């Protein structure tokens, strides 16, 4: 990675870092390609090489860099940039990616530029945003601009598999002392911009059914465990999937923004149902080993999602009662979480949404995610958190890419956010 600081900005003052970014867009593209060139597919999720590369990029800059690892193969990197106020804004980005099948790509999955696009695994999710975050750090240093608040950057491992070596390890160690956080997860698609201000609760169930084996030609002599299990899942869908969720008034603005955002891709009715009712997905179903045998056991894994504001334990209690009514079926394992949300008019959300709207010139929806991840962990740790990055809907897909303009605009947003957030918190 180049250590050159690039062209000097023509603007002085608090917007100088943003002008630096725009003046040095090619250096930002080169940085993104450097990150994409390191394979950090998870599994195995080895991030040692990319962390070393980032350390080299940061070495000439007047910032404090600390490597933190509970798994030597999956280190995390903390970067501190002192600012003008005694409050801290955290920026978070993960370094690992999902795996890729190179044969399914027409572009180089380890990085390729074609005109105004940068291709590669992680271009959108989320090495592109990591490059933009790193370039914002350089922009502050190159323009000798002190951020409006203290900045803490966490470049973490192990996110794609929900592992414990990344953000959870940092939270457990108590090293993320911040007042608010912006995660550079992609939250925008073509023609739609958004900041993610909430996530959904989850219930992950493992169901097991027992039956009585028999020959497939005489099924009445046995009890089919597959039938029992499938009937139990259908009972759950009928009993819970059609029961409207009790959503509090504080969540209504987020639900309406979410419906408006997702309606463009799935239709308004489906988008409304996604947040007004539980979603129930049968993700794994196993049972039987021969077409001519009645199976005596079966297993299923079911994913239930609930809009933030819904008390997950209450729903889980109802599911347990439902399963208890299904003969021969039992819950073998369960894990759950409660959805979390930010005030859509709060200082952090307002700062990110208004800054992004100013940079892009577009409406920025303040919506819920359909799932949940590191933002939920941070909110539960008491750190106000949103997700924002311009990108594309090609994450996890072959030929994943990010527009060059998105890389630049992300870095501009990240460079302007400290001042915007301070202004909102000072109101």
């Amino acid at each position: 990675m180049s250590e050159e600081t690039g062209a000097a900005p023509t603007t002085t003052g608090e917007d100088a870092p943003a002008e630096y970014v725009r003046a040095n867009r090619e250096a930002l593209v080169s940085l993104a390609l450097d990150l994409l060139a390191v394979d950090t597919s998870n599994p195995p999720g080895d991030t040692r090489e990319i962390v070393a590369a980032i350390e080299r990029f940061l070495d000439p800059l007047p910032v404090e860099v600390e490597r933190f690892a509970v798994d030597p193969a999956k280190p995390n990197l903390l970067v501190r940039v002192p600012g003008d106020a005694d409050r801290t804004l955290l920026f978070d980005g993960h370094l690992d990616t999902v795996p890729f099948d190179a044969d399914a790509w027409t572009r180089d999955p380890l990085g390729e530029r074609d005109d105004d696009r940068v291709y590669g695994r992680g271009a959108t999710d989320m090495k592109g945003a990591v490059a933009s975050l790193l370039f914002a750090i350089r922009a502050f240093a190159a323009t000798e601009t002190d951020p409006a608040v203290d900045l803490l950057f966490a470049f973490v491992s192990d996110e794609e598999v929900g592992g414990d070596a990344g953000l959870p390890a940092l939270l457990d160690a108590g090293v993320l002392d911040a007042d608010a956080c912006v995660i550079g997860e992609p939250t925008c698609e073509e023609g739609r911009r958004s900041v993610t201000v909430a996530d959904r609760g989850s219930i992950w169930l493992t169901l097991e059914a027992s039956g009585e084996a028999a020959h497939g030609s005489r099924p009445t002599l046995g009890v089919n465990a597959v039938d029992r299990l499938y009937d139990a899942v259908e009972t759950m869908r009928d009993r819970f999937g059609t029961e409207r969720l009790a959503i509090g008034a504080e969540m209504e603005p987020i639900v309406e923004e979410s419906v408006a955002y997702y309606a463009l891709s799935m239709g308004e009715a489906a988008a409304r149902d996604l947040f007004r009712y539980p979603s129930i997905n049968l993700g794994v179903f196993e049972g039987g080993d021969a077409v001519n045998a009645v199976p005596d056991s079966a297993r299923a894994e079911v994913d239930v999602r609930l809009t933030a504001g819904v008390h997950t334990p209450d729903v889980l209690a109802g599911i347990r009662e439902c399963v208890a009514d299904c003969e021969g079926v039992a819950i073998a394992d369960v894990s759950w979480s409660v959805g979390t949300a930010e005030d859509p008019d709060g200082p952090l959300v307002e700062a990110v949404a208004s800054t992004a709207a100013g940079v892009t010139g577009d409406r920025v929806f303040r919506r819920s995610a359909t799932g949940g991840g590191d933002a939920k962990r941070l909110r539960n740790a008491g750190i106000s958190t949103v997700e924002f990055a311009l990108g594309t809907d090609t994450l996890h897909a072959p030929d994943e890419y990010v527009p060059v303009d998105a890389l630049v605009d992300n870095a501009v947003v990240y460079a302007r956010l400290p001042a915007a957030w301070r202004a909102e918190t000072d109101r």
Side-chain angles (χ1 to χ4, degrees):
M1 297 182 186
S2 171
E3 296 183 1
E4 297 178 1
T5 57
T10 57
T11 300
T12 59
E14 70 177 25
D15 207 41
E19 291 301 315
Y20 175 89
V21 170
R22 295 199 186 282
N24 293 277
R25 59 189 287 131
E26 292 304 313
L28 172 54
V29 172
S30 295
L31 173 59
L33 288 169
D34 286 343
L35 299 180
L36 291 168
V38 183
D39 186 355
T40 56
S41 299
N42 198 1
D46 190 326
T47 52
R48 287 173 290 187
E49 183 180 350
I50 195 170
V51 164
I54 292 173
E55 287 172 330
R56 291 193 296 273
F57 173 83
L58 294 170
D59 184 62
L61 306 182
V63 296
E64 179 184 341
V65 180
E66 176 188 0
R67 185 184 286 215
F68 183 97
V70 294
D71 180 340
K74 298 179 178 182
N76 309 288
L77 205 62
L78 297 174
V79 184
R80 293 179 174 84
V81 182
D84 289 336
D86 60 349
R87 68 200 76 163
T88 300
L89 179 61
L90 168 66
F91 288 97
D92 172 81
H94 66 82
L95 304 175
D96 59 325
T97 70
V98 296
F100 58 87
D101 176 7
D103 292 338
W105 287 58
T106 65
R107 306 287 182 170
D108 187 346
L110 293 180
E112 175 183 335
R113 181 179 184 177
D114 183 9
D115 195 21
D116 62 347
R117 292 181 176 183
V118 174
Y119 291 87
R121 174 55 80 228
T124 278
D125 183 22
M126 58 172 288
K127 289 180 178 178
V130 168
S132 297
L133 289 170
L134 287 167
F135 213 74
I137 297 173
R138 175 186 275 186
F140 280 110
T143 59
E144 299 182 344
T145 303
D146 291 331
V149 296
D150 290 344
L151 302 182
L152 173 61
F153 295 80
F155 300 106
V156 304
S157 301
D158 222 18
E159 190 272 348
E160 290 291 1
V161 297
D164 294 332
L167 185 69
L170 297 176
L171 288 171
D172 288 345
V175 296
L176 296 182
D177 185 13
D179 301 285
C181 176
V182 177
I183 301 177
E185 286 285 2
T187 59
C188 306
E189 300 177 9
E190 186 175 355
R192 287 177 294 164
R193 318 294 191 190
S194 75
V195 52
T196 300
V197 303
D199 50 53
R200 295 204 293 168
S202 64
I203 301 173
W204 286 0
L205 297 162
T206 300
L207 302 178
E208 291 182 352
S210 59
E212 296 179 17
H215 196 280
S217 65
R218 300 184 294 274
T220 56
L221 298 180
V223 178
N224 193 308
V226 167
D227 288 344
R228 278 183 165 179
L229 191 55
Y230 191 80
D231 287 346
V233 173
E234 287 301 289
T235 299
M236 284 177 50
R237 285 175 170 154
D238 292 341
R239 191 176 297 186
F240 294 100
T242 59
E243 184 174 338
R244 189 180 174 98
L245 295 170
I247 297 171
E250 73 282 355
M251 277 299 300
E252 286 294 340
I254 298 174
V255 168
E256 289 304 312
E257 282 281 280
S258 303
V259 171
Y261 179 84
Y262 289 106
L264 296 174
S265 60
M266 65 177 66
E268 183 175 349
R272 193 166 296 281
D273 286 350
L274 189 65
F275 292 97
R276 295 295 180 187
Y277 298 89
S279 63
I280 301 175
N281 179 64
L282 176 57
V284 174
F285 200 102
E286 301 171 340
D289 53 19
V291 69
N292 61 341
V294 175
D296 62 359
S297 65
R299 173 182 171 275
E301 295 181 22
V302 182
D303 181 348
V304 181
R305 301 289 174 137
L306 308 165
T307 301
V310 175
H311 191 49
T312 307
D314 291 345
V315 178
L316 178 56
I319 290 176
R320 290 186 184 278
E321 291 179 4
C322 176
V323 174
D325 292 339
C326 299
E327 186 177 0
V329 179
I331 297 175
D333 190 28
V334 62
S335 62
W336 57 272
S337 68
V338 178
T340 63
E342 296 293 332
D343 179 355
D345 297 317
L348 179 62
V349 176
E350 182 61 37
V352 176
S354 61
T355 303
V359 170
T360 65
D362 297 326
R363 173 184 177 181
V364 177
F365 293 87
R366 305 177 189 205
R367 53 107 177 170
S368 174
T370 57
D374 282 349
K376 181 178 295 185
R377 290 190 175 97
L378 287 160
R379 291 189 194 113
N380 286 333
I383 301 174
S384 179
T385 301
V386 300
E387 297 174 327
F388 174 79
L390 303 167
T392 65
D393 58 1
T394 60
L395 64 164
H396 296 194
D399 292 343
E400 178 182 354
Y401 76 92
V402 63
V404 171
D405 285 347
L407 291 174
V408 174
D409 286 348
N410 280 336
V412 170
V413 170
Y414 299 149
R416 288 179 174 171
L417 266 178
W421 179 62
R422 178 176 176 177
E424 289 295 330
T425 57
D426 284 345
R427 288 184 188 275

